[in-house]
Amino acid sequence: MAVNNLSIVLAERPTGDIIPGTTFNQKITPAPTSADIKDGEVLVEALYLSLDPAMRGWLNDVRSYVPPVQIGETMRGASVCRVLASKSKQATVGDYVCGFTGWTQYAVLREGAFEPSSNYPGLREPKDMLSVLGMTGLTAWVGMTKIGEPKAGETVVVSGAAGATGSIAGQIAKINGARVIGIAGNDEKCKWLVEELGFDVALNYKDADFKEKFKEATPKYIDVYFDNVGGDILNMCLARAKEHARFVMCGGISQYNSTNPEGPSNISRVITMRIKMQGFIVFDHIKDYGKARQELSQWISEGKIKKTEHILPGGLQVAEQGLVDLYKGSNTGKLLVEVKNPNETPSKL
Ligand SMILES: NC(=O)c1ccc[n+]([C@@H]2O[C@H](COP(=O)([O-])OP(=O)(O)OC[C@H]3O[C@@H](n4cnc5c(N)ncnc54)[C@H](OP(=O)(O)O)[C@@H]3O)[C@@H](O)[C@H]2O)c1
């Protein structure tokens, strides 16, 4: 008898916030089987699904770096998966692979659309393929090492600092000898940044005196700003930029759900302070993934980088609410949905 395959599909485009029960629908279809795979393909079951702030942007019908998800289409997303059947030389049954399965339990992936575990040097746990050695770790590495280029003694500010990307970006700046200031949304996250990850200062942007504290923490102004949030915090960092500062434009989560996104009124500081402000998309840097993963793995094994994941149990049914909560700061470290516990018996399809 065919096994059911639960997928989450886009039902309607949100204008502001994602509305649980309205934006997405659950869809059940028969799962693919080993008879469905062709040469160069693998049949997989998802173990962890990555939840990413960019997902909100993929729902908008606008020109971007990827096409919008279509109404009725399975929501785009990356999973770490177990191989159930293989006609690829790159993976055998039981291997872990990472790929854009979408929000679905079972999928067929073609070579080129998945990365085998051999691409992840020093891999300890499958979830690392989505976190520190996955897209967010790579984003931190690309943004900080290729654009920010912090030097010893410089002042580096990271917003979204307790999240998946920011927490790694700040630690990379520390490895480079910089003085690192993290900005995060509650005191517990700030404590973690300083006491566990070794940030020099961490400030809660929801505190009433945040802006004064930020001024006090940046007496020599900012050399590198790694921006994950945009909005008011970006504007404030522009006002504190040193001459020739580098602004790494990674994300702008504070504006993703806004029906009326706002630009920074201090943008002219880019000119007066001769700031290099550069956006980037991690997928443009595939040729650097090997080097980046090698370095990240090395730093983890040396104890120079610590990471954490915030894992939501409950399968794909919880993904929608999990994504809504991501924009409210529910997570510390990388947010993942546990689609299936890796210790459970593999499915038979
Ligand atoms: N350019 C690229 O290629 C690329 C690739 C991956 C990710 N990104 C971007 O990198 C950023 C971080 O992504 P991530 O996957 O690592 O997510 P994340 O940081 O793990 O999670 C998002 C965090 O953003 C913070 N946040 C939410 N609303 C905010 C607001 N209004 N103001 C300030 N902070 C807010 C929340 O923490 P608090 O509790 O601190 O508010 C939340 O935990 C996002 O902007 C994302 O789009 C870019």
Side-chain angles (χ1 to χ4, degrees):
M1 209 177 75
V3 171
N4 281 343
N5 186 18
L6 172 66
S7 305
I8 310 295
V9 301
L10 179 63
E12 64 175 50
R13 298 196 186 285
T15 45
D17 293 344
I18 289 167
I19 306 169
T22 299
T23 304
F24 297 103
N25 273 341
Q26 297 185 11
K27 185 176 165 187
I28 306 269
T29 53
T33 72
S34 50
D36 295 320
I37 56 171
K38 302 185 188 70
D39 284 346
E41 291 181 340
V42 290
L43 174 70
V44 299
E45 63 178 354
L47 303 174
Y48 296 105
L49 170 73
S50 175
L51 291 182
D52 299 284
M55 286 171 166
R56 177 64 189 81
W58 301 342
L59 306 181
N60 295 335
D61 194 9
V62 295
R63 191 171 66 91
S64 188
Y65 62 98
V66 283
V69 178
Q70 298 300 318
I71 305 287
E73 193 182 339
T74 299
M75 178 58 189
R76 181 181 294 132
S79 304
V80 60
C81 308
R82 177 162 38 213
V83 175
L84 300 176
S86 175
K87 285 191 180 173
S88 163
K89 289 198 177 69
Q90 295 180 6
T92 56
V93 172
D95 279 358
Y96 298 117
V97 298
C98 191
F100 273 88
T101 53
W103 291 19
T104 193
Q105 284 177 288
Y106 305 105
V108 173
L109 295 173
R110 168 149 284 285
E111 281 173 8
F114 68 85
E115 285 201 83
S117 53
S118 55
N119 281 17
Y120 299 78
L123 183 68
R124 293 161 188 224
E125 307 173 277
K127 62 190 180 200
D128 289 354
M129 295 164 85
L130 289 173
S131 66
V132 64
L133 301 180
M135 187 187 65
T136 50
L138 294 171
T139 301
W141 187 93
V142 167
M144 200 49 98
T145 62
K146 294 189 75 183
I147 302 173
E149 299 183 273
K151 293 169 193 63
E154 288 190 330
T155 299
V156 174
V157 175
V158 179
S159 56
T165 307
S167 59
I168 305 297
Q171 292 179 88
I172 295 174
K174 279 302 302 174
I175 290 167
N176 283 280
R179 177 172 172 267
V180 180
I181 299 162
I183 301 175
N186 67 43
D187 293 345
E188 211 178 313
K189 290 184 181 187
C190 290
K191 194 167 182 272
W192 178 69
L193 289 171
V194 173
E195 293 183 5
E196 297 291 322
L197 305 194
F199 281 50
D200 296 280
V201 179
L203 300 174
N204 179 350
Y205 68 90
K206 293 177 183 163
D207 279 350
D209 57 352
F210 164 63
K211 284 196 175 158
E212 291 85 78
K213 280 189 185 153
F214 185 74
K215 245 183 172 177
E216 282 166 24
T218 52
K220 296 181 183 168
Y221 300 103
I222 302 169
D223 295 284
V224 176
Y225 173 50
F226 193 106
D227 188 22
N228 283 314
V229 306
D232 286 346
I233 294 176
L234 168 60
N235 210 31
M236 183 190 71
C237 288
L238 281 165
R240 299 294 295 165
K242 196 187 280 184
E243 290 94 335
H244 305 290
R246 286 87 72 199
F247 273 45
V248 184
M249 305 309 289
C250 177
I253 193 168
S254 72
Q255 306 298 304
Y256 291 172
N257 289 294
S258 171
T259 48
N260 190 19
E262 282 181 10
S265 59
N266 290 330
I267 192 70
S268 62
R269 297 292 176 112
V270 173
I271 304 161
T272 55
M273 292 298 127
R274 288 83 93 203
I275 298 169
K276 179 181 96 171
M277 185 181 239
Q278 187 178 329
F280 73 104
I281 294 291
V282 66
F283 304 134
D284 294 340
H285 298 267
I286 290 174
K287 65 172 182 8
D288 294 317
Y289 286 6
K291 183 178 181 213
R293 287 187 178 131
Q294 198 73 54
E295 285 197 2
L296 289 162
S297 269
Q298 175 77 23
W299 290 330
I300 293 167
S301 67
E302 292 169 355
K304 291 179 180 162
I305 280 197
K306 293 182 184 149
K307 52 101 195 181
T308 191
E309 291 86 19
H310 184 120
I311 296 180
L312 302 175
L316 288 173
Q317 290 89 340
V318 308
E320 187 177 24
Q321 187 62 51
L323 183 58
V324 170
D325 294 342
L326 176 65
Y327 303 105
K328 296 182 183 146
S330 62
N331 61 308
T332 297
K334 175 67 197 150
L335 185 62
L336 300 172
V337 173
E338 187 183 275
V339 183
K340 177 169 178 167
N341 187 308
N343 298 323
E344 281 179 45
T345 314
S347 302
K348 287 198 170 59
L349 301 181

